[in-house]
Amino acid sequence: MTEIIMSQTPPILHGPSEKERKYDRQLRLWAASGQSALESANILLVNSGAGTVGAETLKNLVLPGIGRFAIYDETQVSEADLGVNFFLDEDCLGKSRAQSLTQLILELNPDVQGSWYPDEDVKTLSSLLRDSPLFTLIMYTHPIRPEQLAQLEAYGQQHKTPLVAIHSAGFYSYFQINLPGAFPIVDTHPDETATTDLRLLNPWPELVTFAEELTKDIDGLDDFQHGHLPYVVILLHYLEQWKAAHDGKHPASFKEKTEFRKIVQGAARTNNPEGGEENFDEAAAAVVKTVVQPSLPSGLKEVFEYKHTDPAEQRSGFWLIADAVKKFYEKYQCLPLPGKLPDMKAQSKVYIQLQNIYKAKARKDAAEILQIVQATPGGEHVDPAEVDLFCKNAAFVKLINATGGGDGGSDAQISRADRLKSAAELEFANDETAELSLSPLSLLPIYLALQATAHVDLSSEEGFTAEAILAAVAKRVPGAEKRERVVQAANEVARAAGGELHNVAALTGGMVAQEIIKIVTKQYIPADNTVVYDGIGGRVQVLRL
Amino acid sequence: MASTDVHPASEPARWTYLDRIRTRPGPFTNPAMFSGDGVASFMEQIKILVIGAGGLGCEILKNLALSGFKDIHVIDMDTIDISNLNRQFLFRQADVGKSKAEVAARFVEKRVKGVKITPHNCKIQDYDEDFYMQFQLVVCGLDSIEARRWINATLVNMVDEEVEDSIKPLIDGGTEGFKGQARVIIPTVTSCIECQLDMHAPRAAVPLCTLASIPRQPEHCIEWAHVIAWDQEKPFPQLDKDDPEHITWLYQKALQRAQEFNISGVTYSLTQGVVKNIIPAIAATNSVIAAACCNEALKIASNCAPFLGDNENYMMYSGNDSVYTYTFRHERKDDCPVCGQLARDLAVDPAWTLRELIDSFAARPEAQLKKPSVRAEGKTLYMQSPPSLEAQTRPNLDKTLVELGLEQGQEIGVTDAAYATVVFKFKLKFK
Ligand SMILES: [Zn+2]
């Protein structure tokens, strides 16, 4: 009801604000809610190594208006930087790279705050981490010194801060997202075509009455009315007929659905100039996708079955709502109705009535969920808007990092090492059959070869030989160093010797920025958890490591 | 090595990282195609053309300048708008209203010493084959399919089998939201943009009767204001989609209509989006796609690694759900109107009028021709211009295909001024 009242109030007829105009193309992707999350974020870049991929990532975050950033970079700008990094110029030579990058990146957007370290007061990474306001997310670039990595991981664990490791060298790169525990996303932006949920096999009374009213004399309707029956109504009508002829059962098998589709198509009137009816075409085309029993999507199933290890996490709004939806599902064997009606041929008035029937049912379901939430301890503080959003997206809710990331400590280290070994086993086994299954070869060798130089100082020559790389690989995944593709990757990494190609850094910086935007706005679905890029073959693989 | 004016003394140190890759072979480098010694100076001789100085174009110019290209040209007819600033990082608030090509060229020249960037503040159609012949590579960052098809047809037409230099590889990028694609076209060798046209099917248009009498969606009300109400009331002499006053007029009209039909959801932003067909765009995706294109340009120019085009030639990218790429080979089509030899089958109803046939070309994914002219075996059936010929052939529009003497299996030639001299050949297949 509120919607109708609102649309009747005189609209404010001024155009968009300056800020809305500047950010128009991105607001269409993540709306004001996503924008405000971005503007509240405070990102730290620990920029070691050749230093371009971090700068390119920041560019892509500063342009859309991230709140603030800090760069920690101990190096001075050298000639080699100028051939690869766009945010440094000749005036920067010999100066702090952190300072120069910050200045030239800040030029991109006057709305963003930026600071750089080390400076007069903050001389080390540990003092920066100790004295700064909390960071929303930290990214660091390889090669990085092990003690600095340890400091960042400790910080991430203590403050539950997502960490993103990035490594770009020559034609290769990877980045790895380390989230502090399970990461649920509600606003996943599924493809619009996937979201249609019409409940044709279990309609509620208001919908049934509406459909019956329109079709009780279907053969007596004039051609205009018949040709403008919404396809939802057409399908409900013929489903009733089918049930009457089939012991109350719905068309279930593919064969039955095909038969049902023929019945629907055959009911169209053809004695007209068009030789058919568009709404009946729409109805026939919708049979396979919409005449379906509600089921529990795998993403939500994972949410329902998730076992909490952290009691604080369990009391968050998301999990309280998820529990309520689970109870709702157990009671009704279906999810709360999202309430969106796709466009279909119909008279305006009839379509709007039907749309309101779907909306009203969705509001009723959401109200029931809200009631369950509010009856739970802690649930009284949950925002009803959060409940609404969950109900609209329930079928597409997604849990990332459900088994928990590298949460520090020796146990986790061991399990992470084991995870890599078993992933390697699987990837190499897949490669054996890749030719037969026409699937591309694994990019794990690239990850292994890059990872082998994660802590090698850029000035070290012996650290970047193929032999040294393969020896380091052998320590992590014994046997892998003998595989031809690993040897090739090691040679390719040796060729770059820690140097970046600008294109690969820019491409990787684009991907990382997308991921950070997704994590900060909690919209779309972040990668879980390692993304490897091969600039020779021109493709990406996501590995869970 | 080249002369000192393009090569400051500090250059070797500056290009350390790039030279490690482009002057030394790696495990995947084809030794028969590669000579490390001459790469740097060879790349300095290359003239490369960038089409578009927008979201992708800004990135492409930066990337090429930092990939060792020294002689870059850029074409763009647009001026800078405030809504560009969230991604077109070579532009500032103070540049709003200036030429994109000029501001972008000046910025990159200033930042990357030793690179020369020549701006062309005009349409690609303003130049002829002689202009395009001077380049060895073309990189495209456009948001219009029409412009892509035009440059593709032009480059394919320029190929002279006797002259090796007449083949200009075309590297094309495109984005929408978190998604995009990068592809390499070697004219007459690989599949071309016209061969791949059905990968970018046009959005189905809303039937006029829905707009006129049974609107159901906010978009229907906006289209009604745009297509019908504007023409009836002509509040301004010419619709300027960039004029906020004009958009506000459409918005108010659409809103009134929506209220009349109890439809919710008409907003200023949606009105603007529908009328201008706005595609969401962000810096991060442009960064990915432009870099994928320029990475191929570097590989093609230096042969330091195998490039897309030989085998696989198309990379699809999506960041909506995790990160996903699909890199594959798109096959050339023998019946491609631009690079193929054969006429393409065209299913038609013989009872159609010529007008119905002509209207159908706009919606066909593989044709997408908005103003087609039609000939059949020397006979002109309909011409959009010049006006005298249009008037002379107009009566044919209401005749059926049969009445016009067209037969099963007959070949027709279709042209559209938007695509230069390309003749789309079709073979009629009666339903
Ligand atoms: Zn072609």
Side-chain angles (χ1 to χ4, degrees):
Chain A
M1 288 302 124
T2 41
E3 267 158 280
I4 291 162
I5 291 163
M6 277 174 61
S7 71
Q8 282 168 347
T9 48
I12 308 156
L13 287 175
H14 62 73
S17 69
E18 179 96 349
K19 194 170 137 191
E20 283 165 331
R21 284 164 62 204
K22 175 166 129 184
Y23 293 138
D24 179 81
R25 299 303 185 269
Q26 68 201 43
L27 290 170
R28 292 171 192 276
L29 287 174
W30 52 68
S33 61
Q35 189 62 28
S36 100
L38 273 183
E39 288 171 12
S40 313
N42 178 22
I43 307 274
L44 170 63
L45 165 65
V46 179
N47 202 39
S48 25
T52 307
V53 69
E56 287 291 314
T57 308
L58 266 190
K59 171 200 71 192
N60 298 325
L61 294 172
V62 166
L63 285 163
I66 198 97
R68 52 170 58 232
F69 70 86
I71 299 179
Y72 182 88
D73 188 333
E74 294 172 349
T75 45
Q76 274 74 49
V77 178
S78 69
E79 275 291 338
D81 283 314
L82 302 192
V84 70
N85 201 321
F86 193 74
F87 297 99
L88 297 170
D89 64 16
E90 290 187 337
D91 295 341
C92 305
L93 281 171
K95 292 186 188 155
S96 148
R97 194 164 75 178
Q99 179 184 12
S100 302
L101 284 176
T102 302
Q103 284 165 352
L104 291 190
I105 289 174
L106 275 176
E107 283 180 3
L108 302 178
N109 191 342
D111 299 341
V112 175
Q113 313 277 315
S115 52
W116 54 273
Y117 307 95
D119 66 359
E120 296 278 281
D121 305 319
V122 179
K123 294 194 165 59
T124 62
L125 180 59
S126 58
S127 54
L128 172 65
L129 293 174
R130 190 188 59 225
D131 299 338
S132 292
L134 275 188
F135 292 109
T136 319
L137 182 146
I138 298 176
M139 52 179 167
Y140 57 93
T141 56
H142 284 302
I144 187 171
R145 294 208 304 277
E147 72 273 15
Q148 293 196 328
L149 177 55
Q151 288 163 13
L152 293 174
E153 286 182 333
Y155 181 95
Q157 203 191 337
Q158 186 190 348
H159 300 289
K160 298 202 168 300
T161 310
L163 301 181
V164 183
I166 318 169
H167 198 161
S168 170
F171 280 116
Y172 292 161
S173 73
Y174 77 81
F175 63 92
Q176 193 160 43
I177 301 168
N178 194 342
L179 293 167
F183 189 83
I185 312 134
V186 176
D187 201 357
T188 48
H189 294 262
D191 276 347
E192 272 210 22
T193 48
T195 56
T196 306
D197 181 358
L198 298 175
R199 301 292 161 88
L200 295 178
L201 297 187
N202 29 8
W204 57 100
E206 291 82 355
L207 179 59
V208 173
T209 313
F210 181 76
E212 279 175 358
E213 193 60 35
L214 285 177
T215 52
K216 61 180 183 228
D217 182 23
I218 190 164
D219 296 327
L221 296 176
D222 66 34
D223 281 351
F224 181 82
Q225 288 171 326
H226 195 265
H228 284 80
L229 284 172
Y231 81 70
V232 166
V233 169
I234 296 174
L235 289 176
L236 286 168
H237 174 73
Y238 290 102
L239 278 169
E240 276 311 303
Q241 285 196 354
W242 174 282
K243 270 163 65 182
H246 293 82
D247 302 327
K249 291 200 184 78
H250 295 295
S253 67
F254 183 73
K255 193 168 156 264
E256 286 170 340
K257 282 187 192 173
T258 311
E259 201 183 316
F260 178 65
R261 196 178 58 206
K262 278 188 195 144
I263 294 174
V264 172
Q265 189 70 70
R269 294 183 186 171
T270 52
N271 56 345
N272 49 23
E274 296 81 31
E277 286 174 312
E278 225 180 297
N279 54 338
F280 278 78
D281 293 342
E282 289 179 353
V287 166
V288 173
K289 266 184 79 178
T290 60
V291 179
V292 285
Q293 288 291 351
S295 64
L296 190 57
S298 60
L300 193 58
K301 189 156 179 270
E302 201 176 341
V303 169
F304 286 174
E305 289 169 358
Y306 181 74
K307 300 259 182 305
H308 293 275
T309 49
D310 178 358
E313 173 185 275
Q314 203 164 353
R315 290 190 299 271
S316 75
F318 172 86
W319 288 106
L320 291 173
I321 301 168
D323 276 346
V325 172
K326 188 178 176 188
K327 285 186 186 129
F328 182 99
Y329 183 81
E330 280 161 358
K331 185 168 165 195
Y332 299 106
Q333 293 304 303
C334 62
L335 293 172
L337 186 77
K340 207 166 160 265
L341 186 68
D343 190 36
M344 59 191 71
K345 182 152 191 197
Q347 286 176 264
S348 305
K349 198 177 152 207
V350 172
Y351 178 83
I352 300 298
Q353 283 171 338
L354 187 59
Q355 194 180 41
N356 284 334
I357 289 170
Y358 274 84
K359 280 187 188 167
K361 168 71 171 154
R363 272 197 297 270
K364 189 167 159 256
D365 285 357
E368 189 170 338
I369 303 273
L370 181 62
Q371 225 168 31
I372 306 175
V373 170
Q374 284 176 338
T376 326
E380 62 277 9
H381 305 300
V382 171
D383 183 355
E386 205 183 337
V387 174
D388 276 348
L389 185 70
F390 197 117
C391 291
K392 281 202 177 72
N393 288 287
F396 300 92
V397 166
K398 183 96 181 169
L399 195 59
I400 295 293
N401 197 38
T403 55
D407 37 351
S410 59
D411 283 357
Q413 289 300 334
I414 289 166
S415 79
R416 206 192 278 175
D418 283 346
R419 262 212 311 268
L420 178 62
K421 280 190 197 124
S422 58
E425 216 169 291
L426 187 72
E427 291 296 310
F428 293 143
N430 283 345
D431 276 2
E432 303 289 325
T433 57
E435 211 169 328
L436 280 174
S437 58
L438 296 174
S439 45
L441 292 166
S442 174
L443 299 187
L444 185 74
I446 293 176
Y447 172 81
L448 292 175
L450 282 173
Q451 237 278 331
T453 62
H455 305 298
V456 179
D457 191 277
L458 277 198
S459 61
S460 150
E461 283 185 25
E462 58 276 20
F464 286 107
T465 61
E467 293 71 33
I469 291 167
L470 289 170
V473 169
K475 278 192 200 147
R476 305 193 79 216
V477 184
E481 78 282 4
K482 297 192 189 72
R483 292 180 171 270
E484 191 199 353
R485 289 192 26 94
V486 177
V487 175
Q488 286 174 324
N491 276 292
E492 192 60 50
V493 170
R495 182 189 190 191
E500 289 178 294
L501 279 181
H502 181 80
N503 293 322
V504 175
L507 191 149
T508 310
M511 292 197 290
V512 176
Q514 283 197 345
E515 294 307 305
I516 291 178
I517 287 167
K518 292 192 261 179
I519 292 169
V520 168
T521 61
K522 296 198 169 67
Q523 294 187 40
Y524 300 89
I525 304 175
D528 191 13
N529 54 18
T530 306
V531 179
V532 189
Y533 171 66
D534 170 14
I536 295 175
R539 66 190 176 88
V540 153
Q541 186 183 7
V542 180
L543 293 163
R544 182 151 169 79
L545 301 174
Chain B
M1 286 307 231
S3 60
T4 44
D5 58 327
V6 266
H7 250 185
S10 55
E11 286 259 301
R14 183 162 301 183
W15 301 103
T16 309
Y17 299 150
L18 178 63
D19 282 343
R20 279 180 196 162
I21 302 294
R22 67 173 171 171
T23 67
R24 308 192 301 189
F28 301 97
T29 310
N30 180 349
M33 308 264 289
F34 179 74
S35 146
D37 295 341
V39 164
S41 55
F42 175 74
M43 284 184 65
E44 285 176 12
Q45 309 306 319
I46 290 181
K47 251 191 190 180
I48 186 164
L49 175 65
V50 177
I51 301 181
L56 283 167
C58 285
E59 286 278 342
I60 290 168
L61 289 171
K62 160 185 72 92
N63 296 348
L64 293 178
L66 290 173
S67 296
F69 293 96
K70 302 286 182 190
D71 189 354
I72 306 170
H73 287 236
V74 57
I75 305 188
D76 198 313
M77 62 175 290
D78 278 352
T79 53
I80 297 159
D81 179 76
I82 182 170
S83 66
N84 302 145
L85 301 182
N86 81 324
R87 61 197 186 285
Q88 300 178 15
F89 65 97
L90 303 175
F91 310 142
R92 305 286 174 265
Q93 183 74 45
D95 297 322
V96 168
K98 295 183 191 161
S99 150
K100 284 188 177 180
E102 282 164 17
V103 175
R106 223 173 304 133
F107 193 106
V108 176
E109 268 186 349
K110 188 165 159 266
R111 184 62 61 80
V112 184
K113 288 284 155 15
V115 63
K116 192 173 115 215
I117 303 186
T118 311
H120 301 267
N121 181 14
C122 63
K123 291 197 288 196
I124 51 172
Q125 292 88 346
D126 292 347
Y127 286 128
D128 60 11
E129 292 192 359
D130 288 344
F131 173 81
Y132 293 104
M133 197 56 97
Q134 64 180 311
F135 301 101
Q136 284 78 55
L137 270 172
V138 180
V139 188
C140 245
L142 289 162
D143 53 9
S144 134
I145 294 207
E146 207 166 280
R148 279 195 184 94
R149 291 173 72 182
W150 188 90
I151 189 69
N152 176 65
T154 302
L155 293 178
V156 172
N157 275 342
M158 273 161 55
V159 174
D160 176 347
E161 277 169 34
E162 311 285 298
V163 186
E164 203 193 327
D165 282 354
S166 67
I167 298 184
K168 321 282 183 193
L170 168 65
I171 307 170
D172 176 69
T175 74
E176 174 164 6
F178 285 85
K179 300 179 179 178
Q181 81 280 336
R183 48 188 166 171
V184 176
I185 286 124
I186 319 278
T188 71
V189 177
T190 68
S191 116
C192 80
I193 284 183
E194 203 69 31
C195 295
Q196 302 171 7
L197 198 59
D198 51 4
M199 309 267 300
H200 305 266
R203 229 164 276 169
V206 182
L208 212 57
C209 66
T210 299
L211 301 186
S213 56
I214 44 165
R216 300 172 297 266
Q217 305 296 338
E219 290 84 354
H220 298 166
C221 303
I222 295 165
E223 278 294 351
W224 172 84
H226 179 199
V227 177
I228 298 173
W230 182 278
D231 269 357
Q232 281 171 354
E233 302 185 31
K234 283 257 183 259
F236 303 90
Q238 181 88 44
L239 175 61
D240 176 358
K241 294 174 181 179
D242 291 319
D243 187 331
E245 222 183 314
H246 295 194
I247 297 288
T248 302
W249 188 90
L250 292 173
Y251 165 48
Q252 280 179 279
K253 276 283 154 192
L255 201 61
Q256 281 166 14
R257 186 162 177 85
Q259 281 166 356
E260 198 182 310
F261 287 93
N262 270 321
I263 295 167
S264 57
V266 173
T267 61
Y268 184 93
S269 164
L270 185 69
T271 306
Q272 203 188 16
V274 169
V275 172
K276 292 180 71 177
N277 190 20
I278 291 177
I279 296 165
I282 53 170
T285 315
N286 285 325
S287 194
V288 170
I289 297 301
C293 291
C294 296
N295 187 41
E296 298 308 320
L298 170 63
K299 292 191 287 184
I300 291 172
S302 69
N303 274 312
C304 67
F307 52 87
L308 292 186
D310 278 351
N311 188 16
E312 287 157 345
N313 53 23
Y314 198 119
M315 181 193 84
M316 267 168 31
Y317 176 91
S318 173
N320 272 29
D321 180 352
S322 185
V323 180
Y324 171 81
T325 58
Y326 178 51
T327 305
F328 64 100
R329 177 191 178 99
H330 193 287
E331 296 289 346
R332 224 180 130 188
K333 289 187 177 147
D334 291 337
D335 61 356
C336 170
V338 171
C339 75
Q341 307 298 324
L342 304 175
R344 180 172 285 177
D345 285 349
L346 185 75
V348 293
D349 186 332
W352 276 1
T353 60
L354 184 61
R355 188 191 307 280
E356 284 174 299
L357 175 71
I358 281 179
D359 288 348
S360 77
F361 285 118
R364 282 175 193 274
E366 78 282 13
Q368 302 181 35
L369 301 171
K370 292 195 188 100
K371 293 192 121 197
S373 300
V374 184
R375 285 192 189 82
E377 288 179 15
K379 196 178 160 212
T380 298
L381 298 178
Y382 181 69
M383 292 297 287
Q384 303 267 359
S385 65
S388 60
L389 203 51
E390 196 279 331
Q392 201 184 321
T393 52
R394 199 182 308 149
N396 283 345
L397 286 176
D398 295 317
K399 294 184 186 155
T400 68
L401 304 187
V402 173
E403 285 165 358
L404 288 166
L406 294 170
E407 288 166 12
Q408 165 81 338
Q410 184 164 358
E411 241 182 73
I412 58 166
V414 184
T415 53
D416 189 314
Y419 309 113
T421 54
V422 184
V423 180
F424 295 80
K425 284 177 284 190
F426 291 102
K427 196 190 247 177
L428 299 179
K429 290 271 161 186
F430 285 166
K431 285 187 209 166

